[in-house]
Every structure is written in C-alpha cells, then in structure tokens.
C-alpha cells in the first residue's frame, strides 16, 4: 500500500533550515493498522501529510500502490488522493456553513458521483456512524464525539483504500475517544488500511504495529498484533 525509501522533508526559511523527516524507510501493507508515536515536533504529522499526498518530500522515494509518486505535481497528487485517501483530524475540520449531510457529501461531489448515488452513499454511512438523526444539523450544534463521527463518515463515504488519522481522539473525552477507536478498528477489520498519529498509548493498543519517531527518524517498531 505505502512504501518510503530514505524519505526526507526539509523546511527552509531565509535564516534556518529544519529537517522534519530524515531518511525514513517505512512500509505499510494493505489491511494494516499502524500507529505512529513520538514527542511533539518529531515529524509525525509531516510524515502523515506526505504519505497522504498533501505534500511532496524533499528527497527519497514514496510509493503508493506500487506507483512512485514523490515527484508528482499538485494536480496529480490531488487526483490520486481524492480517489484513495480519507482523512480524520483532531480538530474535525468540518465546514460550519454546511449541514452534516453536506459535509459528508463533499468527497463525492469532488468525484462527480451522481445525485442519487450520493444520497444513497451518504445516508448509508450516516446510519452506520449512528449520526443520521443529525443529518440536517450544523457542526456547531453537535458534541465533539458527534462531530468526529461525522468526520469519519466523510473520510469513508468514498470507500478509500487508506484512512489517515491525526490525533483522532485528541479533542474527545475518554468515552467518545473509545467509540472513535472502535469505529476505526471496525473499518480496519473490513479491509481499510489505517495509519494513525497519536500521543495516546491506549489508542496505540488498537494498532497492529507501533512506530516510534524521534527527530525525524524511526527509532523503534513494535509489532503488537498480526494481520
């Protein structure tokens, strides 16, 4: 599914050069659930952005489904990303002016899915996430746990091969956080590959494998569960 060879990401300003990712070799197999951990500023989110095709690396190679994509232009990355990758963020990233239904519908609009098919897919995923009764509400009318369920619905409505989750329980209490992790685990058991950045050891327990990142390097890998 994903593979990197000597991946590097350098951020430059007029006065300073910062190496966020430093020669990372990583492989994520189809159907895996991988957690990436490490202290703040170690490069976790930068790595997630690169493997999620939101950004290009400064050096090295990135393979997505056996396609070398490290030098793709933004338009090429966008086309590949919108058909294959779903994102779940700590801050939910819902659009306040859109209803729950409209927020979840967005990826299907980008994919030019027909009106009738969009309606069917959105209603099915809202039912699954137990949030259908709120489909006409707006994000600010929902609790944090409900907003994250909407965000997960939006991430999976197009049936992506890969879900990238950046601190998905970071803004939630323990009960809602556990519910979100159970949802992600269920999706993974059905075949969706998941890569999750987290500070939470309890969230990492749900993963098959835990990767520890420090100063842009992978320092340890711990296999917790077999596929």
């Amino acid at each position: 599914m994903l593979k990197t060879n000597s991946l590097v990401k350098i951020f430059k300003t007029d006065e300073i050069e910062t190496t966020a990712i430093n020669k990372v070799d990583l492989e994520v197999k189809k159907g895996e659930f991988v957690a990436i951990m490490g202290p703040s500023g170690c490069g976790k989110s930068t790595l997630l952005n690169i493997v999620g095709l939101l950004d290009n690396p400064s050096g090295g190679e990135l393979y997505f489904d056996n396609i070398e994509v490290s030098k793709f232009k933004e338009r090429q990355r966008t086309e590949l990303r919108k058909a294959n990758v779903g994102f779940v963020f700590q801050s939910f990233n819902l659009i306040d002016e859109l209803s729950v239904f409209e927020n979840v519908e967005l990826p299907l609009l980008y994919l030019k899915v027909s009106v009738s098919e969009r309606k069917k897919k959105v209603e099915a995923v809202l039912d699954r996430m137990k949030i259908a009764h709120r489909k006409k509400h707006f994000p600010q009318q929902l609790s944090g746990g409900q907003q994250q369920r909407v965000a997960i619905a939006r991430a999976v409505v197009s049936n992506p091969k890969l879900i990238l989750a950046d601190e998905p329980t970071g803004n939630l209490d323990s009960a809602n956080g556990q519910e979100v992790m159970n949802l992600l685990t269920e999706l993974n058991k059905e075949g969706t590959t998941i890569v999750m950045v987290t500070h939470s050891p309890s969230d990492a327990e749900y993963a098959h494998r835990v990767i520890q990142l420090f100063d842009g390097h992978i320092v340890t890998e711990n296999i917790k569960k077999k596929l």
Side-chain angles (χ1 to χ4, degrees):
M1 170 63 70
L2 289 173
K3 185 177 181 182
T4 73
N5 292 325
S6 297
L7 201 71
V8 174
K9 182 63 179 181
I10 299 171
F11 293 104
K12 296 180 181 179
T13 67
D14 291 340
E15 298 178 357
I16 195 167
E17 184 175 290
T18 304
T19 301
I21 298 295
N22 195 354
K23 295 184 179 178
V24 164
D25 294 326
L26 171 68
E27 186 167 2
V28 178
K29 294 179 181 176
K30 184 179 179 182
E32 258 197 303
F33 189 157
V34 175
I36 301 174
M37 302 188 75
S40 295
C42 71
K44 302 186 300 296
S45 293
T46 300
L47 181 58
L48 208 66
N49 286 341
I50 292 172
V51 299
L53 306 169
L54 290 171
D55 197 5
N56 271 350
S58 306
E61 298 173 327
L62 170 63
Y63 293 86
F64 189 100
D65 255 3
N66 296 317
I67 302 169
E68 213 287 310
V69 299
S70 64
K71 294 179 176 61
F72 269 26
K73 303 294 184 186
E74 184 174 350
R75 190 170 185 176
Q76 292 173 293
R77 290 202 314 270
T78 299
E79 290 301 313
L80 187 60
R81 183 178 66 241
K82 69 184 184 183
N84 293 285
V85 186
F87 293 89
V88 180
F89 300 96
Q90 176 179 347
S91 56
F92 317 134
N93 282 17
L94 301 176
I95 298 173
D96 289 339
E97 295 78 20
L98 299 182
S99 68
V100 164
F101 186 98
E102 291 165 338
N103 266 282
V104 175
E105 184 184 32
L106 268 180
L108 302 178
L109 287 169
Y110 296 142
L111 290 169
K112 299 180 180 176
V113 175
S114 70
V115 174
S116 60
E117 189 68 13
R118 289 202 307 268
K119 187 173 186 291
K120 190 193 312 181
K121 286 178 178 289
V122 172
E123 289 184 346
V125 77
L126 289 176
D127 274 338
R128 181 175 183 184
M129 297 299 158
K130 299 180 174 62
I131 198 73
H133 62 296
R134 297 282 196 172
K135 68 180 181 181
K136 294 183 180 179
H137 288 68
F138 292 88
Q140 292 174 332
Q141 297 173 299
L142 307 178
S143 69
Q146 289 171 332
Q147 288 187 60
Q148 194 60 297
R149 272 188 275 163
V150 174
I152 293 173
R154 181 184 59 191
V156 303
V157 70
S158 60
N159 196 28
K161 296 177 181 177
L162 173 68
I163 290 178
L164 299 179
D166 195 351
E167 299 285 1
T169 68
N171 283 337
L172 303 177
D173 59 34
S174 58
N176 279 307
Q178 187 174 7
E179 186 178 337
V180 164
M181 291 310 304
N182 288 338
L183 285 170
L184 291 176
T185 301
E186 184 182 326
L187 291 165
N188 175 248
K189 285 178 179 177
E190 292 172 2
T192 306
T193 306
I194 298 178
V195 180
M196 173 182 69
V197 160
T198 183
H199 280 105
S200 168
S202 59
D203 286 359
E205 286 293 320
Y206 289 84
H208 301 132
R209 182 160 50 111
V210 179
I211 294 168
Q212 293 283 348
L213 211 61
F214 186 77
D215 284 349
H217 296 277
I218 291 177
V219 289
T220 61
E221 287 195 42
N222 178 21
I223 298 173
K224 304 183 69 58
K225 305 172 188 174
K226 291 190 175 180
L227 279 172

